[in-house]
Amino acid sequence: MANSKYEYVKSFEVDDEVVLPNLIVVQIDGRHFQRFSEIHEFERPNDEKALNLMNSCAVSVLEEYPDLLFSYGYSDEYSFVFKKTTKFYQRRASKILSLIVSFFASVYVTKWNHFFPQKELKYPPSFRGRIIPCATVDVLQQYLAWRQHDCHVTNQFNTCLWMLVRSGKTEAEAREILMGTQKQEKNELLFHKFGINYKNLPEMFRQGSCVFKTKVADIVKHGENGTPVKRLRKKAKIIHSENIAGRRFWNEHSSFLEELGGFMDEVSKIKPEYLRSFLKSEKLMPCTWIVVRIDGCHFHRFSDVHEFEKPNDERALSLMNSCAVAILQEFEDVIFSYGVSDEYSFVLKRDCSFYQRQASDIVSVIVSFFTSSYVMKWKVFFPQKELKYPPSFDGRAVCYPSTEILRDYLSWRQVDCHINNQYNTCFWMLVKSGKSKSEAQRTLKGTQAREKNELLAQDFGIDYNNLPIIFRQGSSVFRKHLDENENRASGDKLQTNVIVEHCNIIEQSFWNAHPFVLG
């Protein structure tokens, strides 16, 4: 990020490192997935294809991030466990959480057609996530026992519920019948009324899925005589175990013992209240502007692999803008956003109570929805170009106490847009003219804005100020009140439309012209 007089706003970013010796668990679960499953007509109480899609996403996450040791999931929830000594992004909670939930969402959309080839994905899925620091391996053991117990209880209830509904009861009547019933009573209801032995239901439904890495012999090549040459490689494996928090299961996997430590005892009683005390809660300060800034992860490589135009690919920028529009259409608490290159900043209204202002929920939902939208909209902007691998974004939430400081933040980002675009325009023109990248860097080292403009004009006949404004000033996305200049009857609701503009948001004139943006 470029230097400017607005850089002081960085001081509002707080450190969120998960300190050692805490073990890091990332828990994600689907946002409004009951509605999602209804719209996409999932089987009740369990859709095996939907569960296999979730499992496949978990496999991809483990294969993408070497520091992840294993994961456990059921329904629309998954928990990912990092090895004890991980320094993944220096253990910054927001970075870790946003990358995992973003990549998971990206893979979910990418793999949808493989599991549901006859079913259209009707809107972008999104996931809530949180970091759970486990002070000891015993806390992790309690956590895993808690989640697997929840899997069993939830599945047993839902199996009874949907069998009753299929038998002719309304959902309300079924819930009333089940109210207060114990485990044995539910089992008897299933057996006597529907002929179902609960223990004979698929293990994946009753026990959930555990994904972990194991060493397997892979054929890497063949010798001259045709003999296969094998190497041991780590690959993700899915199993359905009755007790993932038990010592027997744990001791069967040496990597768990090496990277996390061993369990001293079996879990005798699950204590959800005790575990909830470890949930990392970061409620953002009230009456402050919340900004969620997201950035593409390794987008230099992503742009190279997908052959984006340099220094700017207008289709790629339009795709980013379209995703930002989708965010404002989905979340009414997001009132303004500003984007450049592979970065976007989303401003939430000052008095919002979005997810009770929990930073992890806000960041994970926005990042995952943006990522899902990016993958779903790819073909609209790149109809002839295959998406070669799932993109991901990281994000963080920062509070700004006044409108003046918020505007300085946005000014900082727009100044950064100009400085970086001017440099990149010069750099890529030099490269296209025959210079190597290192030669181009040496040519530009220490040059000022005026000198860069002169280089472009004299060597390449380019007037920097005539380049497309989207490149020079970035993109602002906000709601425009369709009747803001008309007289309205008292109490009438303003009609709005989300628009994208490329304008100077540093000057007061923009805010004068759009007084409703920040209220």
Side-chain angles (χ1 to χ4, degrees):
M1 297 179 180
N3 294 322
S4 73
K5 70 177 183 178
Y6 302 108
E7 269 207 274
Y8 79 91
V9 296
K10 288 198 291 186
S11 64
F12 289 91
E13 298 179 7
V14 298
D15 180 45
D16 61 351
E17 178 187 352
V18 182
V19 297
L20 288 166
N22 283 287
L23 302 170
I24 298 174
V25 177
V26 176
Q27 183 196 70
I28 70 172
D29 63 273
R31 169 181 167 262
H32 301 329
F33 252 55
Q34 183 174 344
R35 171 176 171 264
F36 184 87
S37 64
E38 289 171 357
I39 288 175
H40 292 94
E41 299 176 332
F42 286 178
E43 291 289 327
R44 301 295 183 88
N46 294 288
D47 190 303
E48 197 161 353
K49 289 180 289 186
L51 293 175
N52 285 330
L53 171 54
M54 290 289 292
N55 292 344
S56 182
C57 294
V59 167
S60 294
V61 172
L62 258 72
E63 291 176 342
E64 179 72 9
Y65 302 109
D67 278 12
L68 282 173
L69 197 59
F70 76 98
S71 62
Y72 172 76
Y74 68 96
S75 186
D76 61 334
E77 174 188 311
Y78 244 102
S79 299
F80 297 91
V81 182
F82 281 84
K83 63 184 183 181
K84 188 173 186 177
T85 57
T86 183
K87 292 185 179 178
F88 185 62
Y89 284 100
Q90 302 305 306
R91 302 175 67 91
R92 285 152 54 197
S94 57
K95 191 97 168 178
I96 294 170
L97 172 64
S98 56
L99 281 176
I100 297 297
V101 75
S102 173
F103 189 76
F104 192 98
S106 187
V107 175
Y108 192 97
V109 176
T110 303
K111 289 177 177 279
W112 176 269
N113 285 336
H114 176 76
F115 291 90
F116 295 100
Q118 308 301 323
K119 197 171 285 188
E120 177 194 3
L121 183 58
K122 296 184 178 179
Y123 65 89
S126 53
F127 298 83
R128 292 173 62 182
R130 61 177 59 190
I131 293 284
I132 301 170
C134 295
T136 66
V137 71
D138 295 324
V139 176
L140 174 63
Q141 182 186 26
Q142 274 275 340
Y143 174 80
L144 294 174
W146 176 37
R147 300 323 303 143
Q148 190 164 43
H149 176 72
D150 194 70
C151 167
H152 160 66
V153 171
T154 302
N155 183 66
Q156 189 185 46
F157 178 89
N158 287 337
T159 302
C160 293
L161 174 73
W162 290 106
M163 290 307 299
L164 287 167
V165 169
R166 287 176 189 173
S167 72
K169 303 288 184 185
T170 66
E171 191 171 336
E173 288 171 337
R175 290 184 183 278
E176 188 174 345
I177 290 170
L178 294 172
M179 187 179 295
T181 56
Q182 302 301 308
K183 172 183 173 180
Q184 186 59 34
E185 294 171 296
K186 293 185 181 74
N187 282 344
E188 289 174 357
L189 182 150
L190 288 172
F191 186 76
H192 294 302
K193 190 171 181 65
F194 304 109
I196 295 174
N197 185 336
Y198 182 76
K199 291 184 178 180
N200 290 339
L201 293 178
E203 291 177 330
M204 180 167 62
F205 301 166
R206 294 182 291 109
Q207 298 171 359
S209 302
C210 185
V211 183
F212 61 94
K213 293 172 186 173
T214 183
K215 289 181 180 178
V216 296
D218 243 4
I219 298 174
V220 293
K221 63 179 180 179
H222 289 81
E224 292 180 1
N225 60 355
T227 305
V229 177
K230 297 182 178 181
R231 295 283 186 274
L232 284 177
R233 290 184 175 174
K234 285 187 176 181
K235 283 197 171 182
K237 177 182 179 181
I238 303 172
I239 66 169
H240 311 292
S241 174
E242 185 176 359
N243 185 6
I244 62 168
R247 292 181 64 190
R248 180 178 176 183
F249 172 79
W250 206 252
N251 291 340
E252 286 174 353
H253 304 289
S254 58
S255 60
F256 294 178
L257 296 171
E258 292 168 8
E259 300 288 359
L260 295 168
F263 296 154
M264 297 298 293
D265 301 297
E266 299 292 350
V267 176
S268 57
K269 184 180 179 182
I270 297 169
K271 307 170 186 173
E273 301 79 15
Y274 168 71
L275 285 161
R276 289 190 185 100
S277 68
F278 289 93
L279 299 184
K280 190 174 177 64
S281 176
E282 290 186 3
K283 197 166 186 178
L284 298 170
M285 190 178 297
C287 301
T288 59
W289 297 103
I290 300 172
V291 174
V292 176
R293 185 172 72 242
I294 71 171
D295 290 276
C297 181
H298 302 313
F299 254 57
H300 283 296
R301 173 175 172 263
F302 185 85
S303 63
D304 288 342
V305 169
H306 292 92
E307 299 175 331
F308 286 179
E309 290 290 325
K310 301 295 179 71
N312 296 286
D313 189 307
E314 198 156 359
R315 294 170 302 173
L317 294 176
S318 295
L319 171 54
M320 291 287 292
N321 293 346
S322 180
C323 295
V325 169
I327 290 285
L328 266 76
Q329 291 172 335
E330 180 72 9
F331 305 109
E332 64 177 19
D333 284 300
V334 180
I335 57 172
F336 182 82
S337 64
Y338 175 76
V340 54
S341 185
D342 62 333
E343 172 196 309
Y344 244 102
S345 297
F346 297 96
V347 180
L348 280 74
K349 57 188 179 184
R350 197 172 189 171
D351 59 350
C352 82
S353 56
F354 188 54
Y355 285 109
Q356 291 73 54
R357 299 177 76 91
Q358 289 289 343
S360 58
D361 288 344
I362 293 170
V363 171
S364 58
V365 164
I366 288 177
V367 169
S368 62
F369 189 86
F370 189 96
T371 309
S372 296
S373 299
Y374 193 96
V375 178
M376 288 186 69
K377 291 171 178 285
W378 175 267
K379 278 295 181 185
V380 175
F381 295 91
F382 295 98
Q384 308 302 322
K385 195 170 284 188
E386 177 194 0
L387 183 61
K388 295 185 178 179
Y389 65 89
S392 57
F393 297 81
D394 68 69
R396 70 181 308 161
V398 183
C399 292
Y400 298 100
S402 70
T403 303
E404 179 185 3
I405 296 173
L406 171 66
R407 282 188 50 189
D408 281 353
Y409 167 82
L410 296 170
S411 298
W412 173 46
R413 303 317 310 131
Q414 188 161 53
V415 168
D416 193 73
C417 167
H418 160 67
I419 293 173
N420 288 339
N421 182 67
Q422 188 185 46
Y423 179 91
N424 290 334
T425 303
C426 293
F427 176 82
W428 286 106
M429 290 308 300
L430 289 167
V431 170
K432 290 175 182 179
S433 72
K435 290 186 181 293
S436 68
K437 291 182 179 180
S438 57
E439 288 173 333
Q441 287 171 343
R442 285 196 296 270
T443 300
L444 294 172
K445 188 175 182 180
T447 56
Q448 302 301 309
R450 179 180 55 81
E451 295 168 297
K452 292 185 181 75
N453 282 345
E454 289 174 355
L455 183 150
L456 289 172
Q458 293 170 9
D459 291 9
F460 305 107
I462 294 174
D463 183 343
Y464 179 78
N465 292 322
N466 288 337
L467 291 177
I469 195 168
I470 185 176
F471 302 161
R472 294 182 288 113
Q473 296 191 345
S475 302
S476 296
V477 182
F478 54 95
R479 295 181 186 88
K480 183 176 177 63
H481 294 284
L482 301 181
D483 58 349
E484 62 185 13
N485 294 319
E486 299 176 5
N487 293 322
R488 294 179 295 111
S490 177
D492 285 354
K493 189 175 181 179
L494 282 171
Q495 298 299 308
T496 62
N497 188 31
V498 178
I499 63 170
V500 181
E501 287 193 358
H502 316 293
C503 44
N504 187 333
I505 59 173
I506 299 175
E507 299 298 329
Q508 181 63 35
S509 56
F510 171 81
W511 305 102
N512 290 341
H514 305 287
F516 291 99
V517 171
L518 298 182

